[in-house]
Amino acid sequence: MASFDSINYSLRPSKSVQRGLVFDGLRKLSNALDLSNAVYIGFGSIWFTDFVLAHKTLNIDDMVSIEANEIGFKRAQFNKSYRTITMMQGMSQDKLPEVLSMPGYLNRPWIVWLDYDSALNEGVVQDFQWTLNNAPPNSVLLFTFSATQNAYGDKPVQRPERLRSLLGDVVPDDLSKEDCSKENLPSVLAKLAMDYLKSEVADLARPGGLIEAFRVPYFDSVGMVTVGAVLPAVGAVPAARAVVSTGDWKCLVDEVIHAPQLTLREIAALQSELPPVGAITRTRVQELGFDLQDEQIQSFQKYYKYLPSFAEVVV
Amino acid sequence: MIPENRSKADANPTKAFFVRMITRDITLEDCIFDLIDNSIDGAWELAGGQPMSLDDNTDLSPYRISINVQNDGFLIQDNCGGITLDDAADYAFTFGRKDTAETENFSIGVYGIGMKRAVFKIGSDITIHSTFIDEGKPSSFCVPIKVDEWLTSKSEDWDFDIEAAPDLPSAGVKIQISNLTEVALRSFESPRFIQNLRRSISRDYALHLHRGLAIEVQGKPVSGWAIELRQGGDFLPMRATFTEQIQDEDVHVELLAGMAAAPPDSSEPSDDFDDALNRSGWYVVCNGRIVLAADKTSVTGWGTEGWPQWHPQYSGFMGLIVFASRRADLLPLTTTKRSVDETSAVYRQFRPKMRDATKEWISYTNARKQVRVEAVKREEFTKSVPIFEIVPRAEVALPRIAPTPKIPEANVLYSVPKARMLKLASALGNINMAYKDVGIQSFEYTYSDLVGEE
Ligand SMILES: Nc1ncnc2c1ncn2[C@@H]1O[C@H](COP(=O)(O)OP(=O)(O)OP(=O)(O)O)[C@@H](O)[C@H]1O
Ligand SMILES: [Mg+2]
């Protein structure tokens, strides 16, 4: 387990930060809403990283992992980390409805994290709708998708129209091609996807409504976006709102997280600066003998605790 | 014998029934529009109160209406002159216009219900605050309405109390509402509702926005829809004006119709959003306000009296009928300002003219099927002209094109997974490319590869 964690860490540090933030948030929500009885639904892939976290930090036993790829599915069955994980083979659009017939699952909250490696597309939007429609009270929904600009049209002018065809009326008429540039698209997509979720819930008149809880744009070789929300039971609205509105809630992130890939030597050098007294500056990094971009330094010092194998690697 | 105290059947409405009933059949958006209408009536009066014809160039740029919605409240504020204390005491809060009330000049308001209905629809804790100019000096009052208390109060009369209040920054009205109703709460949480509210404002107040009126939603100004018809070559839109006398009062009517966009290449319904289709149809304007937009139903004649049902083939057509009168009650307005009263006499008089214009377009699109290539060429020759600049003309002119001998054609129809189609469209340079064009381009590509030059 440590081995793939460290692979994740060195190759996909922003991904680790995002996962750390998400589970930090889920843990707080779980305490406030008592989600230990929840069902976890996701794409476990062959690693089941999030499933392991769900089990260890949230005490969740019953989990569903969906995998479309035939070989991936075989490998997932071989690798699945717990007996209590149910594997489903197919696309999420086809398989999610089967969750409804799992005995008792409709009477328990769901934590659904659909961590797509693709961009937002018609299938993803269909999953938005389905989960908002069917998730029982006190469920938490999370969606991660790519914000690679070219996936929304090769030319910037094409992108607003593509987004309109995916998300419909929530997309403002004056969305510009600049809004859809490489730099801006992750935050714009995060906002529009969240606007879509809110609007759907309003249209469905879900009794407890929706509470925006997760917005994490990050850069993981390509721009990625995680958005998520709580669908509280009517009685749990104040409790859920309280969790999300404390200063302690870190999952509504405005800037794009850019955690740097670091070598063991660089980590060792930076280690001596932690926890930081004031901001670590670029000059300081240069004094340590190497160099990083400003946003990488910022993300590092803000989120180094969420690089899960940091301690392990250094030890 | 009927005893004295049993000689009358009580028919007085209860307040609760009344509130429930008046708020039932109107959408939240139309209620917000009622409040905007009232502000505009104030502004229009201050600006001179002319008949609102397309040529009229009343300047509304000093006036501003701002709307803010949140999950715990609603706020609308204007600088359109305010309600005077006398008006407030005598009639503004009366449910239904008193027979003695003078009709405002060219107003949108006519029934005397809009504001009350709107605030009840939005929430139950209401404050209506007005600052008006009284003998050259600002003077103010407010009317707080706690709906629940008002409903349960034992008193027989339906009055609201008027209280002293500080002056607003300029003469105008500010309405604040909290304790939102379920429908307002839900809608205000929906970004889609807000976006669509902006779109509807842009469309239905296009003529006011064109004259400089500022309407802001969530602090951001709404820009008006530029209403345009295509003109050029054989395409000439109609623009005719008429004046009718009704009850010794003038009703001004303007009728415009023509091509707003080229007709579709195929009339197959598609699941993709089609802007031209969406905009097509008839528009009815009463004293400046678009009360019916892009109508494709029998209300504007489609499917009645030898007039076919709307069909996507007719997409691209746009017609406007613009009514103006000093007395708004003579216009075909409904109380919700969201449709027209089909029984209205002036409206019925003009329906045949609307039909004639529509029929011209219908026969053009029918003939066009035989001469598509030539028609497309001529359509491309037209350009969009704002309706205000269209030259008067009694009828719509459309090209008559003689069919050319037909080359036998083959139609291709096949289905592929949508994701693959999008990938190919993307590879061809535009992810939003029409499927048909992806098909044609793939055909041409293969053709030149395998068949080569003709
Ligand atoms: N923002 C405003 N500025 C100035 N006057 C206003 C404003 N809002 C309301 N009023 C006054 O209050 C009156 C009552 O408004 P209300 O909307 O209830 O009825 P109406 O506009 O007369 O008719 P309708 O029911 O057709 O809207 C208006 O006629 C107008 O005199
Ligand atoms: Mg009114």
Side-chain angles (χ1 to χ4, degrees):
Chain A
M1 192 209 106
S3 74
F4 71 73
D5 255 0
S6 62
I7 288 169
N8 278 347
Y9 167 51
S10 52
L11 294 180
R12 308 176 69 188
S14 294
K15 177 88 197 160
S16 300
V17 171
Q18 170 248 19
R19 193 185 293 123
L21 286 172
V22 165
F23 273 92
D24 185 59
L26 286 175
R27 196 175 37 76
K28 288 175 181 152
L29 286 169
S30 178
N31 290 338
L33 305 178
D34 186 20
L35 300 180
S36 56
N37 181 37
V39 178
Y40 186 87
I41 302 166
F43 301 147
S45 167
I46 55 172
W47 308 102
F48 295 98
T49 321
D50 50 334
F51 285 65
V52 171
L53 284 167
H55 182 61
K56 287 192 176 170
T57 65
L58 309 176
N59 286 315
I60 291 179
D61 289 336
D62 290 329
M63 308 195 251
V64 175
S65 180
I66 301 172
E67 175 62 54
N69 181 289
E70 200 173 322
I71 291 178
F73 181 75
K74 286 258 161 59
R75 291 183 65 188
Q77 270 180 322
F78 178 78
N79 286 303
K80 78 176 188 183
S81 41
Y82 304 108
R83 177 183 53 82
T84 47
I85 298 176
T86 306
M87 290 296 308
M88 292 184 176
Q89 187 184 351
M91 299 292 286
S92 47
Q93 294 84 57
D94 303 324
K95 292 291 134 181
L96 282 170
E98 290 181 13
V99 173
L100 295 179
S101 47
M102 302 281 291
Y105 280 22
L106 253 182
N107 304 319
R108 298 159 63 179
W110 300 349
I111 296 175
V112 183
W113 186 0
L114 302 180
D115 188 350
Y116 306 93
D117 30 7
S118 68
L120 198 62
N121 58 35
E122 285 79 0
V124 174
V125 175
Q126 197 181 325
D127 288 346
F128 286 179
Q129 284 175 331
W130 190 88
T131 47
L132 294 171
N133 228 323
N134 291 284
N138 282 346
S139 291
V140 182
L141 306 182
L142 286 139
F143 306 95
T144 301
F145 48 87
S146 142
T148 336
Q149 67 281 10
N150 286 349
Y152 301 89
D154 293 334
K155 302 196 193 74
V157 285
Q158 297 166 354
R159 294 172 199 154
E161 194 183 330
R162 174 65 182 148
L163 290 180
R164 216 160 274 137
S165 87
L166 284 171
L167 298 175
D169 286 351
V170 296
V171 180
D173 293 348
D174 54 4
L175 186 80
S176 67
K177 62 177 204 268
E178 289 74 29
D179 293 328
C180 302
S181 67
K182 182 179 177 192
E183 294 70 35
N184 297 332
L185 193 57
S187 328
V188 167
L189 270 177
K191 170 163 192 329
L192 292 178
M194 183 51 73
D195 281 355
Y196 182 88
L197 300 179
K198 287 180 186 166
S199 304
E200 285 293 300
V201 166
D203 279 0
L204 289 167
R206 273 194 76 108
L210 170 150
I211 297 175
E212 175 172 11
F214 301 89
R215 181 181 59 241
V216 187
Y218 63 99
F219 201 82
D220 177 45
S221 76
V222 297
M224 299 290 295
V225 171
T226 296
V227 291
V230 188
L231 303 173
V234 182
V237 173
R241 225 179 260 291
V243 177
V244 174
S245 52
T246 56
D248 209 26
W249 184 259
K250 303 195 187 67
C251 303
L252 293 167
V253 180
D254 290 323
E255 79 288 342
V256 179
I257 297 175
H258 253 278
Q261 292 177 21
L262 298 171
T263 66
L264 291 179
R265 286 193 66 184
E266 289 165 342
I267 292 167
L270 282 169
Q271 171 78 8
S272 59
E273 304 291 309
L274 299 175
V277 216
I280 305 177
T281 61
R282 182 151 179 202
T283 322
R284 182 63 198 134
V285 175
Q286 287 165 343
E287 279 165 16
L288 290 172
F290 60 107
D291 203 357
L292 288 170
Q293 291 165 358
D294 287 321
E295 67 242 42
Q296 293 178 322
I297 301 170
Q298 270 168 30
S299 290
F300 177 81
Q301 62 180 11
K302 199 160 169 190
Y303 298 115
Y304 68 92
K305 283 186 195 149
Y306 292 103
L307 299 173
S309 32
F310 183 67
E312 291 162 42
V313 175
V314 178
V315 161
Chain B
M1 273 297 287
I2 301 199
E4 185 67 5
N5 65 351
R6 304 274 91 177
S7 68
K8 280 198 163 48
D10 182 1
N12 286 316
T14 65
K15 289 183 206 167
F17 162 76
F18 190 76
V19 168
R20 215 168 37 240
M21 188 195 67
I22 61 172
T23 54
R24 192 89 195 180
D25 300 326
I26 185 166
T27 64
L28 180 65
E29 184 174 279
D30 285 336
C31 282
I32 295 175
F33 279 24
D34 254 316
L35 300 176
I36 300 177
D37 289 341
N38 287 346
S39 302
I40 290 178
D41 283 346
W44 195 253
E45 174 117 351
L46 285 182
Q50 300 290 312
M52 198 201 243
S53 67
L54 294 185
D55 279 339
D56 165 82
N57 43 26
T58 300
D59 179 21
L60 291 179
S61 64
Y63 304 102
R64 169 197 297 259
I65 302 164
S66 68
I67 297 165
N68 274 285
V69 304
Q70 266 135 28
N71 5 5
D72 54 358
F74 171 90
L75 172 72
I76 181 167
Q77 183 157 19
D78 69 51
N79 63 347
C80 302
I83 308 174
T84 65
L85 185 57
D86 287 344
D87 279 357
D90 293 339
Y91 95 101
F93 290 87
T94 313
F95 294 97
R97 274 215 183 161
K98 292 181 181 160
D99 297 337
T100 53
E102 57 168 297
T103 30
E104 270 159 302
N105 274 342
F106 300 96
S107 65
I108 306 166
V110 48
Y111 296 102
I113 194 71
M115 174 175 70
K116 285 74 78 175
R117 167 154 73 181
V119 296
F120 288 150
K121 181 89 180 185
I122 296 171
S124 60
D125 206 339
I126 302 154
T127 310
I128 297 163
H129 186 156
S130 169
T131 294
F132 61 102
I133 304 296
D134 186 23
E135 294 177 350
K137 285 205 300 284
S139 180
S140 301
F141 64 88
C142 75
V143 177
I145 305 174
K146 299 245 185 256
V147 178
D148 297 336
E149 286 171 26
W150 180 73
L151 286 179
T152 49
S153 91
K154 294 278 174 288
S155 105
E156 277 290 292
D157 71 53
W158 289 31
D159 300 346
F160 305 112
D161 293 331
I162 302 182
E163 296 175 3
D167 291 338
L168 296 167
S170 49
V173 170
K174 175 177 172 181
I175 301 178
Q176 264 173 305
I177 306 174
S178 56
N179 221 334
L180 300 179
T181 56
E182 173 66 28
V183 55
L185 199 63
R186 216 182 318 120
S187 304
F188 295 171
E189 275 172 356
S190 165
R192 182 150 60 204
F193 176 85
I194 309 291
Q195 293 297 345
N196 283 332
L197 179 69
R198 298 182 67 88
R199 290 184 182 106
S200 303
I201 290 173
S202 162
R203 183 192 63 196
D204 292 349
Y205 297 101
L207 300 181
H208 302 101
L209 294 165
H210 172 75
R211 288 168 173 79
L213 177 71
I215 305 181
E216 289 174 0
V217 176
Q218 314 295 64
K220 233 178 91 187
V222 177
S223 48
W225 167 41
I227 315 175
E228 295 173 330
L229 288 170
R230 299 191 72 89
Q231 186 175 289
D234 309 329
F235 292 85
L236 296 171
M238 132 177 217
R239 178 177 181 181
T241 46
F242 312 86
T243 305
E244 293 292 315
Q245 283 271 320
I246 300 177
Q247 299 173 24
D248 291 332
E249 191 69 57
D250 284 346
V251 176
H252 310 271
V253 185
E254 249 174 301
L255 196 62
L256 291 93
M259 176 169 79
D265 284 340
S266 102
S267 55
E268 295 303 313
S270 95
D271 54 351
D272 293 311
F273 177 79
D274 183 343
D275 202 38
L277 176 64
N278 223 30
R279 295 270 192 215
S280 298
W282 273 102
Y283 292 71
V284 181
V285 185
C286 291
N287 278 350
R289 161 80 131 80
I290 296 182
V291 294
L292 190 60
D295 188 77
K296 304 171 182 71
T297 71
S298 62
V299 178
T300 52
W302 299 96
T304 64
E305 317 141 32
W307 183 337
Q309 301 270 5
W310 167 264
H311 186 279
Q313 178 191 318
Y314 310 142
S315 181
F317 172 81
M318 184 153 81
L320 279 100
I321 182 157
V322 182
F323 294 97
S325 172
R326 199 184 64 80
R327 273 181 54 191
D329 62 312
L330 299 178
L331 303 185
L333 280 165
T334 58
T335 74
T336 58
K337 322 272 161 45
R338 180 44 71 218
S339 186
V340 292
D341 173 6
E342 288 174 75
T343 61
S344 145
V346 246
Y347 184 61
R348 295 201 80 83
Q349 278 172 36
F350 281 88
R351 274 257 291 260
K353 291 198 166 57
M354 294 165 67
R355 179 182 54 208
D356 292 345
T358 316
K359 278 191 155 169
E360 287 292 321
W361 181 258
I362 291 172
S363 49
Y364 173 67
T365 62
N366 283 333
R368 188 180 182 272
K369 288 185 232 165
Q370 268 71 55
V371 293
R372 227 184 54 82
V373 178
E374 175 63 21
V376 168
K377 235 188 266 164
R378 301 206 195 174
E379 286 158 8
E380 280 167 0
F381 194 66
T382 61
K383 63 183 203 322
S384 287
V385 179
I387 49 169
F388 310 99
E389 290 166 24
I390 287 167
V391 272
R393 231 196 102 82
E395 279 157 9
V396 193
L398 295 166
R400 294 182 196 280
I401 309 168
T404 41
K406 240 183 145 181
I407 307 166
E409 286 179 344
N411 271 307
V412 185
L413 175 71
Y414 58 91
S415 305
V416 294
K418 183 158 176 173
R420 296 185 71 205
M421 176 61 83
L422 290 176
K423 274 191 190 150
L424 184 54
S426 205
L428 289 169
N430 180 1
I431 193 167
N432 306 310
M433 189 184 287
Y435 303 154
K436 181 182 150 225
D437 294 325
V438 176
I440 291 175
Q441 288 205 22
S442 336
F443 180 86
E444 295 298 347
Y445 186 89
T446 323
Y447 194 91
S448 81
D449 232 32
L450 302 180
V451 183
E453 301 292 311
E454 314 265 316

